[in-house]
Amino acid sequence: MPTNEQRRETAKRKLERQLERREEKARRQRLAAIIGSVVAALVAVAVVVGLVWMNKSKDDKTGVGSATASAAPETSADAGPSAAPPADGKLPPFKASANLGANCQYPAEGTASKPATPPKAGKVPTDPAQVSVSMSTSQGNIGLQLDNAKSPCTVNSFASLAQQGYFNDTPCHRLTTAPGLSVLQCGDPTGLGTGGPGYKFDNEYPTDQYPADAPEAQQPVTYPRGTLAMANAGPGTNGSQFFLVYKDSQLPPQYTVFGTIDDTGLATLDKIAAAGIKGGGDDGAPNVDVRVKSIGLD
């Protein structure tokens, strides 16, 4: 039989093994807790970094022609601007993007109202910054400075159509004298507000100064007296119709600004506006016949 000393020794070894197992179990639990804490911290850091990256990506986006533009009462592929609630904001400052004028596209759209060949697609020059143009009308001359440094794809199309004689002997079919909207619209050979050159192209300045889907892109800003801009019926529907602003007008920044009007041209527009709208009202055909005789690059 085992002696008392042997039994004590056996019990001692059993207790030591139990203590060792408990210590090992506690050590594993402490290690698991440490690993769990580290993993949780890494996940939290990853989440924060991800949020910062996504917010930066949103801030870096530039919007090219993605918001919906206001359309004129006409049901037209190239409808002109419509009045918007007054606003004190100005057109945004221009900031050129790296791809400005790098890939101008003029895909087919409908049937041309007058024979026209789309301009060459692809890269177009942004130099010279300004292109001088003379617009002769039945009511007087209108001098224009096309802003090639801000809206080169638009200027490229306008200059191409002018050189093809597309605008020659065409009416300016729409005059507005409503509060907040004072423009003369031209560029449709049909005179109905439904015509175009058989192709379309994207918006440029000021639409391209806003991130895609930015609410600010739908808020009216001031298109100042002397502005030359494109008419459209939504993003990416520019064609041949354009409008000349003779009084400060409130519009969402969804109409491409591509030039300015000289003092002689503004005096001609003032005379046309003073004659009023055919049949009365504040939006319709000018009371005096306004026909574009020619538009030529100086």
Side-chain angles (χ1 to χ4, degrees), residues 51-100:
L51 289 172
V52 170
W53 184 86
M54 285 192 299
N55 287 336
K56 183 177 186 303
S57 296
K58 289 179 181 177
D59 291 340
D60 288 345
K61 284 181 183 177
T62 55
V64 183
S66 57
T68 302
S70 299
E74 300 100 314
T75 55
S76 164
D78 279 316
S82 60
D88 296 328
K90 297 181 180 180
L91 288 167
F94 174 73
K95 182 178 179 181
S97 65
N99 61 350
L100 181 69

Side-chain angles (χ1 to χ4, degrees), residues 52-184:
V52 170
W53 184 86
M54 285 192 299
N55 287 336
K56 183 177 186 303
S57 296
K58 289 179 181 177
D59 291 340
D60 288 345
K61 284 181 183 177
T62 55
V64 183
S66 57
T68 302
S70 299
E74 300 100 314
T75 55
S76 164
D78 279 316
S82 60
D88 296 328
K90 297 181 180 180
L91 288 167
F94 174 73
K95 182 178 179 181
S97 65
N99 61 350
L100 181 69
N103 188 26
C104 300
Q105 295 296 318
Y106 307 97
E109 174 73 4
T111 303
S113 303
K114 186 176 180 178
T117 301
K120 184 178 179 181
K123 185 176 177 59
V124 300
T126 56
D127 184 37
Q130 299 286 322
V131 178
S132 181
V133 169
S134 295
M135 177 175 169
S136 174
T137 81
S138 56
Q139 297 297 322
N141 293 327
I142 300 176
L144 305 173
Q145 283 289 324
L146 307 186
D147 204 338
N148 194 46
K150 290 182 180 179
S151 300
C153 297
T154 305
V155 170
N156 186 47
S157 173
F158 188 84
S160 173
L161 291 174
Q163 289 173 324
Q164 294 179 58
Y166 181 86
F167 298 115
N168 294 357
D169 194 31
T170 61
C172 291
H173 63 278
R174 182 188 182 197
L175 176 69
T176 67
T177 58
L181 185 64
S182 301
V183 306
L184 177 69

